[in-house]
Amino acid sequence: MKSFLLSLGISIFLWTGVFGQELSGRVLDEQTGEPIAFATIQSDRFEGVISNDEGYFALPLNNSEGSLTVSCMGYQTKTLPLKILQAGKPIIYLKEAVVLLDEVMVSNRRPDPYEILRKVKERIPENYVLDNRSYRLFFRETSKADFEELDMEVEKATHVKKENREKTNQELRALSQLVKDSQSKNFKDFLGNFLVRDADTTKLAVLKATELLDSRKDFSMDKVENRAKNIVLQYLDTNLTYTVKTGIIKIDDEMNLKDDSDDKDKGQYSTASLRSQTRSLFNYSRFNSGSTLLQLMDPELYEFQYLRSTMLGDELIHVITFKPDRGRAKYSGKFYVNADNYALVKTEYAYAPGKRGAKFNFKLLLGVKVVENIENGTILYKRDELGKYSPSYILHNEGIYVYVHRPFKFIENSPARNKVRFDFKMAGNFIERSELLISSAAAMTPTDYQALKEPEKVRFLELKKYDPTMWQDSEILQPLQEMKNFKAIE
């Protein structure tokens, strides 16, 4: 346990120490000039990071000695001295790796994708180790709300003058327009140690957390509804209680409108919530019964085709496509398999054309419709010095379309029984992008696991714009341009 705690302490020191230098740059395709996503960039000192969707990367650096190695699926690995790269923000060009057909043909027979995937599943126990380990990771969540329709109106207020009701509706229309024009976005980052005993038993030690948010444009569905209610509630007597109904459903017999809000949790995340998000994302990389990956490799659900071979460094990689073969299957994508040891090193998946997730449509009965219309992801693995694989990067995108139509009625619990009727109608798309960069992993004992005590809350720093100095000397994901351009209204 002492050695584990010592290594944990060293990791914290390295992440929070002040070296003040960073090597940033971009990885591009030499022939096309297009950005290369998911390239691995490593130095002699750090485990490495990956390039983002736009090809950008940043790597902590504390001296100019040594070299930088850049590798990516389908490209020749490139090693460069750090002294050359530190002159400015480098652009690193990678050449496509050419694979000759006779390197992958066996007895003039094209490789069988079904046989390859059978061997992948057969060798999972010897190729992968995910449990009883401590992972050093960086988490990023990007949330977006795009409202297509938003209508709010006070239809009736028995004790409010007509001109005041119209003023309220003007405020509601202004709020509606602000929300529809806002393109609300929210970025959450944290750095930490993730301790994994198994798929259901984990702990999280957060070292640093930030949130990039414009509070004036914080428009989740619940917050829009609450802001609209607050406009309406200015006409209600806060000294009274109310019966609240939506449609024919009674919500609350004794709703008290006095402000009992408590700001004690402001600027804090729940550790349990962050741990749950991290575990859910991490588990996409698992091969246990019922996991996404094993379902994607099920020949009773999917049809497989051998596409081509490519290179990852000096290793030959089989590329296999999959698409639905049965009604229950809903994804298409690609598997990348090491030709030597049959380890799955990369997976890409997305809803196949014409497919979608769950659909909940009770517009007529409850005024609610929800459709899961976006789901895709990428999973990368890397091999350690013992030849075992563990995840190095996990990306998962989810999107839902939501329609809500709720008529609210507030009825005074008083002899007057004054009433206010408020109509709320909203339709829009909500998208969430979650990413895990796992820079290193170490073995962990049960005693190590017990030694970590999770705090109930984790403080985060709210930022008005992206500040790269917040993450100096840390292995993180470079932000996409939309995050770099984000600026909250003062």
Side-chain angles (χ1 to χ4, degrees):
M1 183 180 76
K2 288 183 179 179
S3 62
F4 171 79
L5 293 176
L6 178 60
S7 65
L8 185 63
I10 290 172
S11 296
I12 294 172
F13 172 75
L14 291 177
W15 290 346
T16 57
V18 182
F19 297 117
Q21 294 188 57
E22 180 181 82
L23 177 66
S24 59
R26 198 177 192 192
V27 185
L28 301 178
D29 184 297
E30 182 176 89
Q31 185 173 358
T32 66
E34 293 295 314
I36 297 175
F38 310 136
T40 300
I41 299 95
Q42 294 176 281
S43 70
D44 296 338
R45 182 175 182 275
F46 282 91
E47 293 285 344
V49 296
I50 67 167
S51 58
N52 66 15
D53 290 9
E54 297 161 353
Y56 289 103
F57 70 90
L59 191 70
L61 207 61
N62 70 324
N63 60 65
S64 60
E65 300 301 319
S67 60
L68 189 78
T69 300
V70 184
S71 58
C72 186
M73 191 78 66
Y75 292 90
Q76 297 179 23
T77 297
K78 197 168 193 175
T79 301
L80 302 164
L82 291 174
K83 286 182 179 179
I84 294 176
L85 298 175
Q86 283 184 288
K89 290 188 176 182
I91 294 179
I92 300 173
Y93 292 96
L94 296 186
K95 286 184 177 182
E96 184 179 0
V98 178
V99 181
L100 299 178
L101 187 62
D102 59 5
E103 293 182 59
V104 296
M105 298 293 281
V106 180
S107 303
N108 294 320
R109 182 171 60 87
R110 191 174 182 82
D112 181 355
Y114 291 85
E115 177 64 14
I116 291 171
L117 291 176
R118 185 191 67 77
K119 291 181 179 179
V120 168
K121 290 186 282 188
E122 183 181 274
R123 299 194 185 184
I124 285 171
E126 63 187 82
N127 278 332
Y128 299 90
V129 55
L130 277 74
D131 294 335
N132 297 310
R133 291 168 78 78
S134 171
Y135 296 90
R136 185 171 67 185
L137 57 79
F138 177 79
F139 173 96
R140 172 168 292 147
E141 178 188 87
T142 304
S143 302
K144 302 178 186 179
D146 182 10
F147 292 85
E148 297 175 351
E149 179 182 3
L150 187 59
D151 296 314
M152 300 175 285
E153 182 182 13
V154 174
E155 296 179 334
K156 181 179 180 181
T158 57
H159 64 303
V160 178
K161 292 181 179 180
K162 183 178 180 180
E163 56 267 28
N164 287 340
R165 190 176 70 189
E166 178 55 31
K167 184 179 178 181
T168 302
N169 285 331
Q170 287 176 1
E171 291 182 51
L172 291 172
R173 285 192 289 269
L175 175 61
S176 295
Q177 195 60 48
L178 175 64
V179 171
K180 286 188 283 188
D181 293 343
S182 69
Q183 296 294 311
S184 176
K185 296 176 184 178
N186 180 28
F187 305 92
K188 177 168 69 181
D189 291 349
F190 72 79
L191 192 68
N193 284 316
F194 185 52
L195 277 58
V196 178
R197 290 189 65 180
D198 55 46
D200 302 313
T201 312
T202 59
K203 286 185 178 181
L204 180 66
V206 176
L207 304 178
K208 185 188 295 185
T210 66
E211 185 171 62
L212 189 57
L213 171 70
D214 186 343
S215 57
R216 295 178 59 180
K217 295 183 177 180
D218 186 10
F219 295 137
S220 65
M221 184 178 70
D222 289 340
K223 289 185 178 179
V224 170
E225 188 175 291
N226 287 334
R227 286 173 74 161
K229 285 181 188 176
N230 287 336
I231 293 175
V232 176
L233 295 181
Q234 62 186 308
Y235 294 107
L236 302 185
D237 188 341
T238 57
N239 293 314
L240 297 174
T241 61
Y242 292 80
T243 296
V244 184
K245 293 183 177 180
T246 176
I248 61 173
I249 301 172
K250 184 183 292 186
I251 298 176
D252 198 334
D253 283 331
E254 295 291 327
M255 178 182 176
N256 194 317
L257 300 182
K258 290 183 178 179
D259 185 9
D260 295 323
S261 60
D262 190 348
D263 289 339
K264 66 182 178 65
D265 291 335
K266 188 175 182 180
Q268 298 184 93
Y269 292 132
S270 160
T271 302
S273 177
L274 294 183
R275 175 178 13 92
S276 177
Q277 282 185 285
T278 305
R279 181 173 61 224
S280 176
L281 190 52
F282 184 88
N283 283 349
Y284 277 104
S285 68
R286 289 188 173 276
F287 298 92
N288 50 300
S289 177
S291 68
T292 298
L293 284 175
L294 282 190
Q295 289 181 17
L296 295 179
M297 286 188 275
D298 187 344
E300 294 186 1
L301 296 175
Y302 289 92
E303 177 184 332
F304 307 112
Q305 185 174 6
Y306 190 90
L307 182 63
R308 66 178 188 276
S309 288
T310 186
M311 301 297 292
L312 178 60
D314 58 357
E315 297 176 336
L316 188 66
I317 304 295
H318 297 304
V319 184
I320 297 169
T321 64
F322 59 89
K323 63 180 181 180
D325 191 38
R326 296 288 186 275
R328 288 182 295 144
K330 56 186 177 182
Y331 301 100
S332 60
K334 296 175 185 175
F335 294 123
Y336 298 78
V337 179
N338 187 304
D340 180 47
N341 57 19
Y342 293 95
L344 182 67
V345 295
K346 180 180 178 180
T347 302
E348 300 169 339
Y349 62 92
Y351 282 146
K355 297 289 184 176
R356 65 187 177 201
K359 181 179 179 180
F360 177 81
N361 190 355
F362 287 93
K363 287 179 72 172
L364 296 179
L365 182 63
L366 300 175
V368 176
K369 179 181 179 180
V370 178
V371 180
E372 296 177 350
N373 53 12
I374 296 174
E375 186 175 359
N376 59 68
T378 299
I379 305 168
L380 303 178
Y381 297 88
K382 66 180 177 183
R383 185 163 48 179
D384 63 19
E385 64 279 1
L386 299 177
K388 299 291 186 179
Y389 289 84
S390 61
S392 61
Y393 175 73
I394 304 170
L395 164 68
H396 188 73
N397 289 306
E398 290 183 322
I400 60 171
Y401 168 83
V402 178
Y403 170 91
V404 176
H405 184 197
R406 292 179 183 166
F408 289 92
K409 185 183 289 186
F410 299 85
I411 307 170
E412 279 184 4
N413 293 324
S414 71
R417 302 292 287 175
N418 289 317
K419 301 177 181 67
V420 172
R421 179 180 169 87
F422 164 57
D423 194 64
F424 178 88
K425 185 187 293 183
M426 182 277 293
N429 291 285
F430 298 83
I431 300 172
E432 188 172 282
R433 175 187 174 101
S434 301
E435 298 174 271
L436 272 185
L437 173 68
I438 303 169
S439 53
S440 66
M444 179 192 71
T445 68
T447 306
D448 297 332
Y449 185 84
Q450 292 299 325
L452 177 62
K453 305 299 181 185
E454 282 187 344
E456 185 177 342
K457 300 289 183 180
V458 173
R459 289 208 162 271
F460 67 86
L461 182 63
E462 185 174 329
L463 304 176
K464 299 299 182 183
K465 63 180 181 179
Y466 181 73
D467 181 3
T469 63
M470 286 295 304
W471 304 106
Q472 234 167 9
D473 308 311
S474 303
E475 293 167 273
I476 72 162
L477 293 163
Q478 272 291 81
L480 297 175
Q481 200 61 43
E482 66 173 356
M483 188 174 180
K484 293 178 182 177
N485 293 341
F486 183 93
K487 188 175 182 180
I489 299 174
E490 298 294 340

